[in-house]
Amino acid sequence: MAGLALELQELGAEARVCAPPDGEFAALLARVGVPLVPLGPTVRSVVAGTRPPTANDAFRLAPELVAARFETLTAAADGCDVLLATGLMPAGARDVAEKLGIRYVFACFHVFGLPSRHFPPGARPGKPSPRDETDNRVLWEQDAQRVNALYGEALNSHRAALGLPLVDNVRDYVFTDQPWLAADATLCPSQGMTDLDIVQTGAWVLPDVRPLSQELEAFLDADAPPVYVGFGSMAAYIPKDIARVAIAAIRAHGRRIVLARGWAGLAPIDDADDCFVVGEVNQQALFRRVAAVVHHGGAGTTATSARAGAPQVVVPQIADQPYWAARVAALGIGAAHDGPAPTVDSLFAALATALTPETRARARAVAGAIPTDGARVAAKMLLDASHPGQAAGARVNHTESPG
């Protein structure tokens, strides 16, 4: 989203970004000179506790998020030409755009959540589908019912207060018939994956020019390229011993380690000098310097690794992460770990695939085929639709949230 905001500004438009008020997001937007408009609770408060969110948490949070979007976006999108929303289910965003009489775009970063004849829906809080149901069309209809149960009452209550007609299928209303896919076509092919008319722009990349620290540069230069390990925001999901397992498996390959703390606060298991710990870091620069990247399979980390030509080992935890793991394996640019809880032996075996010269060569070849102008493509599309032939003066509101 920050990458898209930057491109919009460079084309002469004004961008406003509404997002959860985590400090990391504010710092990211500050790099492109866009203030964060706080929207809803922090992501940390939702996903980075000692346990994953429960179904009860979801049914409590969903109406709160709907109310926050109606309140925040009504003010933030006032005077804008377009409201672009992303997130797992940004119910409330299209409704605000409808009330304000402006264009609405839903953008996603993978096809996993879009209704399809070819694969079933992912897990969602609510009444589960029967175990013996295998018809994907039926399963997606039941998924829509679960979305309605989560968001429908709150959404339609707010719509009624604004004089808007009620919505009977919240999911499809949010997604629209023409969602935008902000992902690379090599990593995430969309042709034939869904009945929706997908507009694939390419991934939205924010160029990162921040230097690596002198200490990290010295560590990288001291010996052969190390293996990076990081699990981002997956604090509540990853096994508690993941750092010990990863370090042991990487050492068994004779490699050093760059360990990312992440929201789980991962730490070295001893005081050996073969492990360097990083916090916030320029992954675009770092991943070009490592032998492999071990990660959870987030859309951003997968794409950044692929663009850097770094072999990957994906240890998927939730949501779209198994999809990215499968794509990495199918493309031959790394390995998909079987399951979310690796042992030293299983991670050693996955690394054995990622660290071969053949995987490295394939990763570099794929990297060379991935375009980096997705954010510019999307920005031009937004502005051309709003003010054909005249970008200057347009205003675009972006919103994203954990629900």
Side-chain angles (χ1 to χ4, degrees), residues 1 83-87 90 93-94 104-108 397-400:
M1 297 295 271
L83 194 158
L84 182 147
T86 186
R94 183 177 182 181
Y104 167 81
V105 175
F106 171 75
C108 53
N397 179 274
H398 315 68
T399 175
E400 59 180 334

Side-chain angles (χ1 to χ4, degrees), residues 4-73:
L4 179 60
L6 176 63
E7 293 292 350
L8 284 165
Q9 291 181 130
E10 292 187 350
L11 291 172
E14 176 187 344
R16 303 171 187 169
V17 179
C18 304
D22 297 79
E24 295 92 338
F25 301 157
L28 182 65
L29 291 169
R31 284 168 44 195
V32 298
V34 176
L36 181 148
V37 179
L39 174 62
T42 64
V43 176
R44 277 182 183 264
S45 69
V46 177
V47 304
T50 57
R51 58 168 177 76
T54 65
N56 287 337
D57 293 331
F59 276 94
R60 172 189 55 79
L61 182 62
E64 294 176 4
L65 289 171
V66 170
R69 294 188 191 109
F70 271 92
E71 179 180 0
T72 301
L73 299 182

Side-chain angles (χ1 to χ4, degrees), residues 284-345:
Q284 294 174 18
L286 176 58
F287 288 0
R288 291 195 291 267
R289 307 276 300 277
V290 300
V293 176
V294 179
H295 63 98
H296 55 296
T301 312
T302 304
T304 302
S305 301
R307 287 194 302 271
Q312 307 179 47
V313 173
V314 182
V315 185
Q317 303 297 308
I318 61 170
D320 57 315
Q321 295 167 12
Y323 171 82
W324 294 114
R327 289 300 302 153
V328 164
L331 287 167
I333 60 175
H337 185 271
D338 184 15
T343 64
V344 174
D345 288 343

